[in-house]
Amino acid sequence: MEMADGDRFTPEQAEALSALRDGRNVFLSGNAGTGKSYVLNAFISDLKARNVDFLALAPTGIAALNLTDGSTIHRTLKIAPGVCAPDGPKGSRKVLDAAKVIIIDEISMCRIDLFERVMNMVLAAKRVSGRKQVVLVGDFFQLPPVVTDDDRKVLMQLWPGNDDGYAFKSQLWEGMDF
């Protein structure tokens, strides 16, 4: 497969890009070096060419720098650092209302508490402004969430059995139909 600007894709990358363009919620994963970022940035270029409003987010500043037009989850959604308790401050949903596509790169580094906060914000924005596509990118075998000993104590109270903090263990992960 080749895009208008000459990008070439392996069959697997082309299949991933096609799934992204279909508007479905997608979890894009693969080993290091398989081209996840390459496909993701091609998708972002496609969104820009079609004037589709999107957010490109990452859990860390370094990961956000590697994304075209990327920013951190915390900064963009105005979520305070630390463990996000389910009943805590919700952050700002305004930018989510406008976006049609929400991309989170390096999802493996996103702890369950932050993932659930963002997905609940996305679901609330969807009720107000319509369909939202969620695209998660990452490899849970490469970069785990950062969990301090203090975080682990809180996570065990809020999500028993998930002291490692993995987002894919959230009920919202299954509910988003990736």
Side-chain angles (χ1 to χ4, degrees):
M1 176 180 197
E2 187 173 328
M3 285 185 63
D5 60 3
D7 287 339
R8 295 191 184 279
F9 300 95
T10 66
E12 293 84 5
Q13 291 169 339
E15 182 180 350
L17 188 56
S18 177
L20 292 169
R21 287 179 172 160
D22 281 349
R24 297 178 281 179
N25 289 346
V26 174
F27 170 47
L28 178 61
S29 189
N31 295 332
T34 56
K36 294 181 298 290
S37 295
Y38 181 64
V39 170
L40 181 57
N41 283 318
F43 177 58
I44 290 171
S45 293
D46 183 57
L47 291 172
K48 290 169 94 170
R50 294 186 290 129
N51 293 315
V52 176
D53 290 328
F54 69 92
L55 290 175
L57 307 172
T60 68
I62 297 295
L65 288 173
N66 291 327
L67 269 174
T68 302
D69 295 333
S71 181
T72 65
I73 296 168
H74 290 86
R75 179 185 187 120
T76 302
L77 302 179
K78 298 180 180 13
I79 297 173
V83 175
C84 302
D87 57 353
K90 300 301 179 212
S92 175
R93 199 190 71 225
K94 209 180 319 181
V95 293
L96 288 170
D97 287 344
K100 298 285 183 223
V101 180
I102 297 94
I103 299 163
I104 303 177
D105 196 13
E106 299 297 356
I107 189 63
S108 65
M109 296 178 72
C110 185
R111 281 192 327 240
I112 188 171
D113 57 307
L114 182 58
F115 173 76
E116 288 194 357
R117 172 67 49 85
V118 173
M119 289 305 105
N120 280 319
M121 292 172 73
V122 167
L123 291 170
K126 181 179 173 183
R127 285 190 292 274
V128 170
S129 56
R131 174 84 172 106
K132 306 288 179 193
Q133 179 185 12
V134 178
V135 174
L136 306 179
V137 182
D139 179 359
F140 285 100
F141 291 110
Q142 286 184 44
L143 298 168
V146 176
V147 180
T148 67
D149 288 340
D150 289 340
D151 294 341
R152 194 174 316 283
K153 290 175 190 169
V154 176
L155 291 173
M156 282 302 292
Q157 290 173 357
L158 298 172
W159 291 273
N162 191 5
D163 64 332
D164 51 12
Y166 283 113
F168 68 84
K169 292 184 177 180
S170 167
Q171 291 181 347
L172 286 171
W173 185 282
E174 188 171 325
M176 296 299 289
D177 195 28
F178 295 106

